[in-house]
Amino acid sequence: AGVVGFGTMGQGIALVLARAGIDVTAVEVEQTRLDAGLDNLRKGLEDRVKRGRMSEDDMNAELGRIKGATSISALSDVDLVIEAALEDMEIKKAIFSELDKVCPAHTILTTNTSSLDIDDIAAATSRPDKVAGAHFFAPAQVMKLLEIVRGAKSSPETIAILLALSDRIGKVGVAVGNAFGFVGNRMYHRYTWQAYFLLQEGAYPADVDQAMQDFGFALGCLAVGDISGQDVALAVRKAQKAAGEIDPDAPYPVIADRMCDKGWYGRKTGRGWYLYEDGERKPNPEANALIEQTSADLGIERRQISADEIQDRCLFALINEGAKLLGRGMADSTEDIDKIWRFGYGFPKDKIGPMHMADEMGLDHVLEKLESLRDRGGPWFEPAPLIRERLAAGKNTFSD
């Protein structure tokens, strides 16, 4: 296999492949970046040896399966390529055009993009049937989920091979459609937006995160956003706007943009929704003041918001978006959606997943709840057509 882009994600993907006994050629544009990536990989494995988590022989075997190169021409005999370069469409199209010229006709070309259009990327090649998304979750060597994204022209054989590969490398592979953000991140955007709206209406970051931890998540989405970087979420919102995914007449999470305007991106800057000092996460009084000011600027009278309301709004946003994706054929089943949420986002294991919860509640209750939330929370809670269709057909679950 080839891995193009040898930053943190590319290193993790290369390691996952090497652990499964697959020889990997990692390509970076500059020798210094390549050397830094290989050095970082070695240091990480040496640390695992010191901690007794792997043997030195295993470390050497894994490293021995990974070689580096600074030209895509080094991938002239690979069976599979996973591109993990910058999240920029023009860069990815240029890479795929070059891969198409260099790689054998049978080679499957995949991209690790988390939201970009697979069909646009595939159009840069003469083999769109052999192009698909291979969306690993960070850190790739730890997280179990692999979203395999079907383009309009991806062949069934290509998707079947990638699903088989996911088993070989120890991942839970789920095939999904080519919607913006695919399935997992598209649903996650709806969840995080509700968290932002809750802040604007009266909650503080610790309130939202604690409510979702009480539900069963290891971390609330605001703390997670501080880890991944608020600038990353800002880039997604900009891409959503450019793709026409944001209704200009619907409520918008102003507070999230204002945090980025301050340069408060989370852990990387020492402050985000929280302060980060001496490795500890603490409340950020300045963020709380900015939240209060934003409420005032938007003409919102802040109120006390219960943990029950926080959980309801976040969870029903997930369920509703999942139902929309299911109705559009972007997900093949409720079980696939629940797998994505359990293995990619840490949905509480005992609760199975958001769609399982919807089935347990009954779609009549889900519809009633969404209509109530829409009346208070706006058009983001407009019930998915599939919910009404199922009920009209006499079905009270997604799966019966």
Side-chain angles (χ1 to χ4, degrees):
V3 173
V4 179
F6 206 48
T8 303
M9 182 58 82
Q11 292 164 37
I13 292 169
L15 194 57
V16 167
L17 295 168
R19 281 182 181 164
I22 298 169
D23 292 328
V24 179
T25 300
V27 178
E28 252 300 352
V29 290
E30 296 174 0
Q31 189 67 45
T32 52
R33 290 189 191 179
L34 180 63
D35 291 343
L38 291 168
D39 188 52
N40 190 54
L41 209 54
R42 176 176 288 279
K43 285 178 179 175
L45 293 180
E46 286 174 344
D47 185 60
R48 285 177 60 83
V49 172
K50 286 176 187 174
R51 293 170 181 266
R53 293 181 178 174
M54 74 184 303
S55 70
E56 194 163 343
D57 286 347
D58 285 343
M59 177 188 76
N60 290 330
E62 288 180 13
L63 288 172
R65 293 188 189 106
I66 302 171
K67 65 180 180 181
T70 55
S71 172
I72 282 177
S73 62
L75 305 181
S76 61
D77 62 351
V78 299
D79 305 301
L80 166 75
V81 176
I82 301 173
E83 169 272 315
L86 291 173
E87 192 77 340
D88 180 286
M89 179 59 83
E90 293 312 308
I91 290 174
K92 290 184 187 295
K93 286 168 78 170
I95 290 170
F96 272 71
S97 176
E98 193 171 351
L99 287 169
D100 189 45
K101 295 168 188 167
V102 166
C103 296
H106 74 273
T107 305
I108 291 174
L109 308 179
T110 69
T111 174
N112 182 57
T113 180
S114 59
S115 61
L116 295 179
D117 191 326
I118 303 299
D119 295 331
D120 277 358
I121 296 171
T125 77
S126 63
R127 62 181 92 187
D129 59 312
K130 295 190 183 301
V131 177
H135 179 209
F136 288 78
F137 285 65
Q141 63 270 41
V142 176
M143 297 298 287
K144 296 287 285 183
L145 180 65
L146 175 56
E147 262 188 328
I148 295 161
V149 189
R150 295 182 294 254
K153 296 182 179 178
S154 303
S155 72
E157 181 186 32
T158 293
I159 301 304
I161 288 170
L162 292 172
L163 285 167
L165 174 72
S166 69
D167 288 340
R168 179 173 172 183
I169 62 177
K171 300 297 182 187
V172 176
V174 180
V176 299
N178 184 29
F180 186 98
F182 314 133
V183 170
N185 278 344
R186 192 179 182 90
M187 292 173 68
Y188 191 68
H189 299 156
R190 299 293 177 253
Y191 167 26
T192 55
W193 275 42
Q194 284 307 309
Y196 302 148
F197 292 142
L198 287 159
L199 296 180
Q200 292 177 176
E201 292 171 35
Y204 293 99
D207 301 327
V208 175
D209 284 345
Q210 188 59 57
M212 299 317 293
Q213 283 184 255
D214 290 345
F215 174 75
F217 283 99
L219 279 178
C221 67
L222 299 175
V224 170
D226 270 0
I227 294 169
S228 58
Q230 301 302 333
D231 52 332
V232 175
L234 175 64
V236 170
R237 290 192 295 278
K238 287 180 177 178
Q240 287 173 312
K241 284 181 182 177
E245 291 286 335
I246 294 177
D247 180 351
D249 297 323
Y252 181 81
V254 175
I255 182 57
D257 284 7
R258 288 192 176 182
M259 285 283 291
C260 292
D261 290 343
K262 292 282 190 182
W264 298 345
Y265 296 151
R267 283 192 179 178
K268 66 176 76 174
T269 58
R271 67 184 60 217
W273 301 114
Y274 300 92
L275 278 177
Y276 297 89
E277 297 174 349
D278 303 321
E280 289 186 36
R281 184 175 73 242
K282 302 174 182 177
N284 182 358
E286 289 182 288
N288 290 349
L290 182 64
I291 289 166
E292 291 169 359
Q293 184 60 53
T294 300
S295 300
D297 293 344
L298 294 172
I300 297 171
E301 185 176 341
R302 293 181 65 80
R303 61 186 174 85
Q304 192 76 26
I305 298 179
S306 69
D308 285 346
E309 181 180 347
I310 292 168
Q311 290 177 6
D312 276 355
R313 285 174 58 173
C314 291
L315 291 169
F316 279 91
L318 280 181
I319 290 168
N320 199 36
E321 190 62 28
K324 289 177 182 178
L325 289 163
L326 198 61
R328 290 174 55 193
M330 294 296 108
D332 292 339
S333 67
T334 55
E335 290 83 3
D336 278 356
I337 294 174
D338 287 344
K339 273 188 203 173
I340 287 169
W341 269 83
R342 200 157 63 254
F343 294 105
Y345 299 87
F347 200 89
K349 196 178 295 186
D350 61 318
K351 296 182 171 72
I352 312 299
M355 310 314 285
H356 178 83
M357 289 185 65
D359 278 357
E360 283 197 324
M361 285 185 275
L363 295 186
D364 53 353
H365 175 76
V366 171
L367 178 62
E368 182 183 341
K369 193 76 176 181
L370 285 171
E371 288 177 334
S372 171
L373 289 168
R374 179 197 58 200
D375 293 343
R376 290 179 285 135
W380 295 116
F381 286 108
E382 178 61 38
L386 180 63
I387 296 172
R388 297 187 195 279
E389 290 168 14
R390 297 290 292 171
L391 286 168
K395 307 290 186 182
N396 202 30
T397 68
F398 289 116
S399 51
D400 63 5

